[in-house]
Amino acid sequence: MFLSNVTVFMPSVLTLIGIPGLESVQSWIGIPFCAMYILAMIGNSLLLFIIKSEPSLHEPMYIFIGMLGVTDIVLVSSIMPKMLGIFWFHAQEIYFDSCLLQMWFIHTFECIESGILLAMALDRYVAICYPLRYATIFTHKLVAQLGTVVVLRAAILAAPCLLLIKYRFQFYHTTVISHTYCEHMAIVKLAVENIRINKIYGLFVAFTVSGFDLTFITFSYSQIFVTVFHLPQKEARLKAFNTCIAHICVFLQLYFLAFFSFFTHRFGSHIPPYIHILFSSMYLLVPPFLNPLVYGVKTKQIRVSVVKIFYVLKRNSRQNPKDLHFLFPATTNLLGFKFVDNCVYKFLEQTIHHRFVLLVLTLSLP
């Protein structure tokens, strides 16, 4: 129902136009985005499979890494199918309620990812600064409690963003969103009514989550560095530092992209829109793509487990390729569907060879 030429009442459908100014090359941009999406799904799924199937990895640090993998899978899957549909098939329309649900998923799992990074920082802080008390402090019960708190905090803080849009706004200037996904401020700016409350609450959530998490993450790693540099032996210092470097890399790349996206959307009026949209999309896509690579390269126990899996794959592919199914039941059951079929098995047979295994073995050396 239209009240005027420029006002829409309670739209049922919104339109995502993708990257404004780059519509002619969006189909090409979709190729690297799709490649990163596929690799992110495979990498995080493999990471989950390794952690689940290897008893020695059932420790708090690796459980947190598994939580991060699940978060990355959900986060990237909530945006990429629709984004690729926009880029390749011009499927730009999305139901209003579906758009709000996507927005809630994005901001909820962004908050969960930040909370998990905080939990991982606290885990390393206790492990390095209080090694004798680590086993009694970081029990599996505490890990479960921390995970519950992180999820509840994210869901509770993100829910009002959805409700404030759904029940405060009735009239909209347009139904066209200049973005690749349903971002909070991109939807809010469509409204005719006063959006000040929505802006204030969005800033409150952003600064509450990032401020709290960043403060304690920075404190944890600063205390870790002080403790590490006071260790008497060089080998002990290097070993302690290596246990943290992967977490620090993930932490830095996530928050760098997050702050760039956040501040350019609110205060970067001089920045071309396509730059902001590209970085906003990469902010949600790059961390899930890089996290399994970072942890796979920098975490020795995970590297060794990867070597074992690829060695068994190579050995069994020579004997009977059909026997490869035994390697993946944990992953398929965990995700709820069988994404690894015979084509993937054949692909693995053809691509996994001795030189790759030797390379990973070389990386695994202390």
Side-chain angles (χ1 to χ4, degrees):
M1 175 182 175
F2 289 83
L3 298 183
S4 70
N5 291 332
V6 294
T7 304
V8 183
F9 175 72
M10 297 292 289
S12 60
V13 176
L14 299 176
T15 302
L16 293 164
I17 66 172
I19 306 174
L22 297 179
E23 290 88 351
S24 60
V25 295
Q26 284 185 156
S27 58
W28 295 104
I29 295 174
I31 295 175
F33 275 39
C34 181
M36 284 192 289
Y37 173 52
I38 293 172
L39 291 174
M41 292 295 291
I42 294 175
N44 283 289
S45 299
L46 181 60
L47 198 63
L48 289 173
F49 169 72
I50 290 171
I51 293 171
K52 181 177 175 61
S53 59
E54 186 63 44
S56 64
L57 299 182
H58 294 173
E59 298 295 330
M61 183 179 77
Y62 303 107
I63 295 173
F64 286 132
I65 293 175
M67 291 180 184
L68 194 65
V70 173
T71 303
D72 286 338
I73 288 173
V74 176
L75 186 59
V76 77
S77 297
S78 65
I79 62 164
M80 283 309 301
K82 183 61 182 178
M83 190 184 298
L84 294 176
I86 295 169
F87 289 167
W88 289 342
F89 308 110
H90 304 286
Q92 298 176 325
E93 292 188 344
I94 183 171
Y95 287 111
F96 185 82
D97 291 339
S98 299
C99 190
L100 292 182
L101 183 63
Q102 185 191 56
M103 179 200 75
W104 182 82
F105 264 99
I106 290 170
H107 294 300
T108 297
F109 281 90
E110 284 176 340
C111 184
I112 290 174
E113 186 151 13
S114 179
I116 293 173
L117 291 178
L118 171 59
M120 295 167 78
L122 295 176
D123 171 79
R124 291 299 85 200
Y125 167 71
V126 175
I128 293 175
C129 298
Y130 303 98
L132 299 180
R133 298 170 57 190
Y134 175 74
T136 58
I137 294 175
F138 260 89
T139 61
H140 286 82
K141 182 180 179 180
L142 179 62
V143 171
Q145 291 172 342
L146 287 174
T148 303
V149 170
V150 166
V151 172
L152 288 178
R153 181 191 71 161
I156 292 171
L157 287 175
C161 293
L162 186 152
L163 299 175
L164 286 172
I165 294 174
K166 179 70 174 177
Y167 297 106
R168 285 193 72 242
F169 301 145
Q170 292 184 329
F171 300 98
Y172 294 81
H173 293 294
T174 178
T175 60
V176 177
I177 302 177
S178 298
H179 215 301
T180 55
Y181 60 87
C182 297
E183 198 266 343
H184 176 245
M185 285 306 300
I187 302 173
V188 167
K189 287 180 178 179
L190 303 180
V192 174
E193 290 94 342
N194 191 324
I195 63 173
R196 185 177 180 182
I197 294 176
N198 299 73
K199 279 187 171 182
I200 291 173
Y201 185 75
L203 289 170
F204 166 75
V205 172
F207 284 109
T208 299
V209 173
S210 60
F212 181 85
D213 293 356
L214 275 173
T215 299
F216 284 95
I217 289 173
T218 304
F219 171 79
S220 298
Y221 285 118
S222 63
Q223 293 299 307
I224 287 171
F225 288 143
V226 169
T227 303
V228 167
F229 289 132
H230 282 85
L231 292 175
Q233 296 180 347
K234 182 180 178 180
E235 292 79 8
R237 291 198 298 269
L238 290 175
K239 183 177 180 180
F241 183 74
N242 282 332
T243 63
C244 298
I245 190 66
H247 305 310
I248 295 172
C249 291
V250 170
F251 160 73
L252 290 176
Q253 56 93 12
L254 174 69
Y255 278 101
F256 171 77
L257 291 171
F259 278 113
F260 182 89
S261 175
F262 177 81
F263 286 111
T264 55
H265 197 82
R266 286 162 175 80
F267 311 111
S269 56
H270 60 286
I271 298 177
Y274 68 87
I275 296 293
H276 163 66
I277 303 302
L278 275 174
F279 269 87
S280 296
S281 302
M282 291 174 63
Y283 156 57
L284 297 180
L285 180 59
V286 171
F289 165 68
L290 287 180
N291 288 352
L293 297 178
V294 171
Y295 287 118
V297 171
K298 297 303 298 180
T299 308
K300 182 178 179 181
Q301 291 86 342
I302 294 177
R303 291 201 308 267
V304 171
S305 298
V306 171
V307 171
K308 290 179 183 178
I309 288 176
F310 285 126
Y311 175 77
V312 174
L313 275 171
K314 185 64 180 179
R315 184 185 64 189
N316 283 273
S317 65
R318 287 181 172 180
Q319 297 173 357
N320 187 359
K322 293 183 179 179
D323 289 341
L324 293 174
H325 285 272
F326 80 94
L327 286 169
F328 295 95
T331 307
T332 54
N333 291 338
L334 185 62
L335 296 179
F337 58 89
K338 287 197 173 185
F339 66 93
V340 183
D341 56 16
N342 291 331
C343 294
V344 178
Y345 293 133
K346 292 178 181 178
F347 172 77
L348 289 172
E349 293 171 38
Q350 295 170 3
T351 56
I352 299 168
H353 45 74
H354 288 297
R355 281 177 293 180
F356 177 78
V357 174
L358 287 173
L359 173 62
V360 181
L361 279 169
T362 302
L363 291 173
S364 301
L365 294 175

